[in-house]
Amino acid sequence: MGDTHGYSSDPALQGLEGMAYRKVRAAHTGSLEREELQASALDLEWDMEKELQDPGLGLDRFQLECVEHRTVGNSNRADPDPDLEPIQPSVSVSPHGRFERLQEDPNYISHFTRAPPKGQRRSSCSLVKYLLAGVGLFILGLLIGHYAHSTDKPTPEPPTDTDLLEELLRDITAEKIQALHRPFISISDDNEEARAKHLYQQWTDLGLTDVQLSNYSVLLSLPGPSSSRIVDRASHECFLPSGAQCDPRNHNNNPTADQHFSYAAYSATGSLEAVVVDVQYGGLEDMRRARTTMNVTNQIALLKLGQAPLLYKISFLAEMGFGGVLLYMDPCDSPSDQSLWHKAFGVTLNPGGDPSTPGYPSIVGSYREERPNLTSLLVQPISASLAKRLLNIQSVGLGSPCTPLAMPAASERTKIQLTIGTHSIYKTVNNVCGYLRGKTNPDRYVLVGSRHDSWHKGTAADWRGGSAMMTQIITSVTKQARRGWEPDRTTVFCSWGGSALGNIGSFEWGEENRVVLQSRAVAYVSLHSPVRGTETLRSTASPSLLQLTSDIQKRQLLSCIRGGNCPGPNVSSLQIPGDVSFFANHLAVPTMEFAFEQTKAEEKSSFLSEALFSAESPETLDPLFKFHETIAKMTAEVILRLVNDPVLPFYPLDIALDVQNKLKDDPLRTPRLLAAAASLRESSAFLQSETMRPANDPKERDPSHVRMLNDVLRDLEKSFLVPQPPPGVYRNLLYSLNGKVPQFSILKYPLDPLKHNAVNKSLSLIINAINSAEKLIRCGLDLFENSPDDTN
């Protein structure tokens, strides 16, 4: 029979089976009628076939049929045949053919268990097999899922901003910076390429993405085979730049490292015999005084460093007809704890970049101009002791107050022969740049720059501290990135080559990527020379970042490393030398720098940092590296704010206040200029109040709205770029030349100082810059529903 339950679907066979079934049951239960037995058998067969068609019904019935049954009829009879299924009087048939549970009959009592028929046992075994197989597969799936999940590394939850800052600052320690500094000591002083490759490998290992090593062939000005010399024509005495005597007849003596160090890069070369003219700091009154006493054509000016940019004074002297310049630093301007009497120094006359490719990058195929020198003057730095001798000063007072060096009125001028033998050569400078990609705005760059070069062989110590701090900051931020932190903007960490000779590496990289940077650069954070003394903590920032810089400095000073003798906040927008120049001058992005210095800016002459003295090593200046730790933590906090804040932490009102402050006491100000500045302040104040809405309220942070607002804040300083500033003066008018007396630099040092209309041109440039800034702010106000006029 084909049916697995012992029942046939054929009608004839079903009839025979029904007759046999009735005969067997009649032998056991004579009280039952044959018609009832036949009907019950047919109903049972039909219902079991339905169970096979409906597995759910089969399972229900399997559970019912496995219960204990009670014999119907004679209770003292022997056990009935196990193959026979008794007819249960308490069982009824549902309209759908399903059995009702026996337990539903309150009169039913179970005393024994009957085995099901053979066909039913085979059906039950099949169902049990399927059920067990399904349960086994389910358990196997759970086990596989459990072990597969346990082998996966859990994805860490990104830290909150507060936790992130605390962890980041906690990870930056003096001991770690010092450990990173040690390997730099073993790198050769004159192998700039080896330093760049060391940083490249180090940053790659730390996890920065897309670390790039770029190089440029540039024109460098280096010392010649013999050092420069000054010969007194009256006494025939020969002097080296430091003031030490030399043999005037020996022109091929091998100079020491210190003697090689003291030269002016990109100076004119040759020999000049002329009279020394004291021009003090090279101011306009000093120049006029010198011209009234003698003909200065082809004479040699004795010039003090400070008070004005060196390039501005050099160009002024060349315009007046001088043939040479001797530079020195007045001891009254130097730090009180440093003796610079017998120390010469180095300077560069390069305003920035490769002199042979002005305004465009030094890449393969670029046209090269023949520019071995950038001035017609023979320029040589000398020590203060040699300057004193050339001024014919018999004695000088170094007490309090200090007596500045100056030629006595009745003194006879000294005639000398000045010989300079520098030479120019093409060499390769290398830059290293690594990226930490942002998530929301990956096309907005926060640039962080340090350097890995030195002025000359034997003076490499001044770059090591900044490189160690930069590497530690990279270590800490990449550690947080591996834990799940995703910055909003991209951070670009760069180490520059050729910085000492005119920020060559940063200029060439900037010129090559100018178009990209003009639209993507947000800010520049400098680690050019972060620890150059221990006297005071100075913070330099463009006006947009003054508030952020001041807030961070104040918080750090609460845990000052110098106990109770902590310097107070010293934040300004001073023009400073270094790789920040390209980004402030040509891109006009907000910039900032923290640094410990030896000179108190409010008491000493500015622009002394243009002199490059033989630097002390970081371990000598800061043996415990605590000053390095402080600068690194402050810089890391600035970076975190710049890459994470939804609205950039730039304050347009600070720009307007800075403009008004520069004009407040300037005798050249005009009513029109003051009115424009007042209008700029009003608009800036309203824009700043509106920027606080998305900065403080997440509901206001529509992505496109915030992005446009950030672009306005970023581009605001671009309004203050002037096309042709005086030599040595920033194109960005927001940077001052003097911390004590804020003033627009082009008003104090106009482009053509000897022309009577020079100031008028400068005033026009300033008022145009103010009007341009206000127009941009008005465009920013259009991003909001209301304007200043709507508030009335």
Side-chain angles (χ1 to χ4, degrees):
M1 298 175 69
D3 194 358
T4 59
H5 289 265
Y7 295 97
S8 173
S9 60
D10 185 85
L13 292 178
Q14 289 180 3
L16 293 174
E17 291 173 353
M19 294 174 63
Y21 190 78
R22 286 195 298 271
K23 289 180 180 180
V24 172
R25 296 304 294 169
H28 291 281
T29 56
S31 62
L32 294 176
E33 294 295 330
R34 293 183 178 180
E35 290 79 8
E36 293 177 357
L37 183 62
Q38 182 177 9
S40 300
L42 290 174
D43 289 340
L44 178 64
E45 177 188 357
W46 176 82
D47 196 67
M48 293 185 71
E49 288 179 348
K50 294 290 291 183
E51 288 175 11
L52 291 177
Q53 296 175 6
D54 190 344
L57 298 177
L59 181 59
D60 292 341
R61 299 191 182 201
F62 171 76
Q63 295 172 345
L64 282 172
E65 291 163 357
C66 289
V67 300
E68 295 178 347
H69 300 281
R70 186 175 183 177
T71 305
V72 179
N74 197 354
S75 61
N76 57 0
R77 290 179 60 90
D79 289 339
D81 192 317
D83 292 332
L84 298 179
E85 176 72 13
I87 304 299
Q88 305 293 342
S90 61
V91 175
S92 63
V93 180
S94 70
H96 299 287
R98 295 181 180 178
F99 291 107
E100 296 179 2
R101 294 183 181 274
L102 296 174
Q103 291 87 341
E104 294 177 357
D105 188 349
N107 299 320
Y108 177 79
I109 301 176
S110 175
H111 293 282
F112 63 91
T113 303
R114 292 294 303 247
K118 292 181 179 179
Q120 186 174 347
R121 287 201 303 268
R122 286 194 295 270
S123 174
S124 301
C125 291
S126 299
L127 291 172
V128 170
K129 290 179 182 178
Y130 290 136
L131 179 63
L132 292 176
V135 172
L137 290 174
F138 178 73
I139 295 174
L140 181 61
L142 290 177
L143 292 174
I144 293 174
H146 171 73
Y147 285 107
H149 181 72
S150 62
T151 56
D152 293 338
K153 294 182 179 180
T155 302
E157 289 292 332
T160 63
D161 289 347
T162 303
D163 295 339
L164 176 63
L165 177 60
E166 292 178 356
E167 293 179 10
L168 185 65
L169 299 184
R170 192 183 306 117
D171 193 56
I172 298 174
T173 64
E175 293 76 17
K176 291 181 179 180
I177 297 174
Q178 189 173 19
L180 290 169
H181 172 265
R182 293 191 189 103
F184 295 139
I185 301 176
S186 61
I187 304 177
S188 175
D189 288 350
D190 58 351
N191 195 341
E192 189 259 353
E193 182 180 3
R195 303 173 200 167
K197 289 183 176 180
H198 176 85
L199 291 170
Y200 172 85
Q201 187 61 51
Q202 199 172 35
W203 293 4
T204 302
D205 295 342
L206 289 175
L208 288 183
T209 57
D210 192 21
V211 182
Q212 301 172 359
L213 181 64
S214 56
N215 55 73
Y216 306 91
S217 178
V218 300
L219 184 65
L220 301 182
S221 177
L222 302 175
S226 60
S227 62
S228 301
R229 61 187 61 210
I230 298 99
V231 177
D232 188 331
R233 299 308 297 167
S235 63
H236 301 288
E237 292 180 287
C238 176
F239 299 95
L240 296 175
S242 63
Q245 290 192 331
C246 57
D247 186 351
R249 296 167 295 180
N250 185 4
H251 295 278
N252 297 317
N253 60 328
N254 294 323
T256 64
D258 286 341
Q259 293 166 352
H260 246 328
F261 184 83
S262 304
Y263 76 104
Y266 303 101
S267 165
T269 59
S271 182
L272 174 65
E273 185 173 318
V275 171
V276 175
V277 181
D278 182 16
V279 295
Q280 290 294 296
Y281 292 101
L284 186 58
E285 291 301 320
D286 297 324
M287 299 295 189
R288 288 172 176 168
R289 190 181 307 112
R291 290 178 63 176
T292 59
T293 58
M294 67 175 298
N295 182 8
V296 299
T297 303
N298 289 330
Q299 305 302 326
I300 298 175
L302 188 58
L303 177 67
K304 293 181 182 181
L305 276 182
Q307 295 191 1
L310 174 61
L311 295 184
Y312 181 83
K313 296 190 287 188
I314 292 293
S315 66
F316 198 5
L317 291 170
E319 186 178 352
M320 292 185 65
F322 280 92
V325 180
L326 295 177
L327 303 171
Y328 73 101
M329 181 181 293
D330 195 307
C332 295
D333 294 331
S334 64
S336 57
D337 60 342
Q338 293 185 6
S339 177
L340 303 178
W341 269 102
H342 302 286
K343 288 186 179 181
F345 50 90
V347 294
T348 181
L349 307 180
N350 182 8
D354 178 13
S356 68
T357 58
Y360 53 94
S362 297
I363 57 179
V364 177
S366 295
Y367 171 72
R368 305 281 179 169
E369 297 185 11
E370 292 295 331
R371 301 179 69 192
N373 54 276
L374 299 178
T375 178
S376 61
L377 303 179
L378 276 70
V379 183
Q380 176 60 50
I382 62 174
S383 67
S385 61
L386 181 55
K388 172 179 172 290
R389 181 182 181 92
L390 296 177
L391 290 170
N392 293 321
I393 301 175
Q394 301 301 319
S395 62
V396 60
L398 295 178
S400 182
C402 181
T403 304
L405 296 181
M407 180 177 288
S411 177
E412 183 179 353
R413 291 186 173 91
T414 304
K415 189 174 184 178
I416 64 170
Q417 183 179 19
L418 173 63
T419 303
I420 295 177
T422 57
H423 72 288
S424 298
I425 185 174
Y426 282 96
K427 283 194 172 185
T428 300
V429 298
N430 301 271
N431 297 327
V432 185
C433 289
Y435 295 74
L436 181 63
R437 298 292 180 184
K439 180 183 179 181
T440 308
N441 294 290
D443 61 338
R444 292 295 180 262
Y445 297 164
V446 175
L447 304 164
V448 187
S450 64
R451 60 192 177 98
H452 56 263
D453 79 319
S454 59
W455 170 246
H456 193 57
K457 181 178 180 180
T459 61
D462 56 349
W463 66 271
R464 295 174 189 156
S467 293
M469 292 162 62
M470 171 78 90
T471 305
Q472 179 55 53
I473 292 174
I474 294 173
T475 303
S476 298
V477 297
T478 53
K479 179 179 178 180
Q480 295 302 320
R482 288 191 296 271
R483 291 181 175 179
W485 171 57
E486 293 180 307
D488 180 70
R489 303 174 185 89
T490 295
T491 312
V492 185
F493 297 95
C494 293
S495 182
W496 310 115
S499 296
L501 292 175
N503 310 310
I504 296 177
S506 58
F507 261 78
E508 297 309 306
W509 184 83
E511 288 171 348
E512 185 178 14
N513 298 279
R514 183 192 299 269
V515 175
V516 174
L517 294 174
Q518 283 175 338
S519 61
R520 297 189 175 188
V522 170
Y524 184 85
V525 182
S526 175
L527 283 168
H528 179 80
S529 187
V531 180
R532 44 186 180 260
T534 58
E535 183 68 32
T536 187
L537 174 60
R538 175 187 291 180
S539 302
T540 305
S542 58
S544 295
L545 282 171
L546 282 178
Q547 185 63 50
L548 175 64
T549 305
S550 179
D551 291 344
I552 292 176
Q553 180 172 317
K554 289 176 183 177
R555 282 196 295 273
Q556 286 296 328
L557 289 176
L558 292 177
S559 56
C560 182
I561 60 176
R562 304 187 67 191
N565 189 26
C566 296
N570 181 9
V571 185
S572 63
S573 296
L574 278 178
Q575 176 178 324
I576 57 174
D579 291 298
V580 71
S581 176
F582 178 84
F583 304 97
N585 271 316
H586 296 270
L587 299 179
V589 297
T591 64
M592 66 77 50
E593 178 185 79
F594 294 114
F596 277 103
E597 295 184 343
Q598 203 65 25
T599 303
K600 294 184 178 180
E602 66 273 12
E603 298 177 1
K604 305 299 180 182
S605 174
S606 58
F607 288 97
L608 297 180
S609 56
E610 293 181 320
L612 301 170
F613 287 92
S614 181
E616 293 185 82
S617 63
E619 55 268 30
T620 302
L621 273 174
D622 183 20
L624 298 179
F625 279 77
K626 291 296 185 180
F627 291 97
H628 288 77
E629 177 185 333
T630 299
I631 297 296
K633 287 184 174 181
M634 296 170 70
T635 303
E637 185 173 353
V638 168
I639 296 171
L640 186 62
R641 289 288 306 276
L642 290 171
V643 300
N644 254 17
D645 282 10
V647 178
L648 288 168
F650 299 161
Y651 296 89
L653 181 57
D654 285 346
I655 294 179
L657 293 175
D658 181 75
V659 169
Q660 285 190 313
N661 194 34
K662 285 182 169 65
L663 295 174
K664 181 177 61 175
D665 299 321
D666 197 315
L668 299 175
R669 67 186 187 275
T670 64
R672 182 186 174 198
L673 201 57
L674 294 176
S679 180
L680 176 65
R681 176 176 177 173
E682 180 183 358
S683 301
S684 299
F686 189 81
L687 177 64
Q688 184 162 309
S689 66
E690 291 296 277
T691 62
M692 295 301 102
R693 287 166 45 183
N696 297 325
D697 186 1
K699 296 180 181 179
E700 295 276 354
R701 294 177 191 170
D702 175 67
S704 60
H705 179 93
V706 172
R707 186 177 175 90
M708 290 186 291
L709 174 61
N710 282 332
D711 287 348
V712 171
L713 296 175
R714 178 201 63 183
D715 294 339
L716 194 54
E717 292 195 12
K718 291 181 173 62
S719 303
F720 293 89
L721 286 182
V722 293
Q724 279 188 316
V729 175
Y730 271 14
R731 288 183 60 202
N732 192 332
L733 298 178
L734 296 175
Y735 291 85
S736 303
L737 299 178
N738 191 316
K740 293 188 297 182
V741 184
Q743 186 181 14
F744 281 109
S745 55
I746 60 174
L747 290 181
K748 186 173 180 61
Y749 302 104
L751 183 60
D752 300 308
L754 298 180
K755 295 181 179 179
H756 69 279
N757 61 348
V759 172
N760 293 332
K761 183 177 181 180
S762 297
L763 289 172
S764 297
L765 292 173
I766 293 171
I767 196 168
N768 287 335
I770 295 174
N771 291 335
S772 176
E774 181 161 10
K775 288 184 180 298
L776 182 60
I777 288 176
R778 290 288 177 179
C779 291
L781 292 175
D782 290 341
L783 299 175
F784 301 94
E785 296 178 355
N786 47 342
S787 65
D789 296 332
D790 296 332
T791 61
N792 295 330

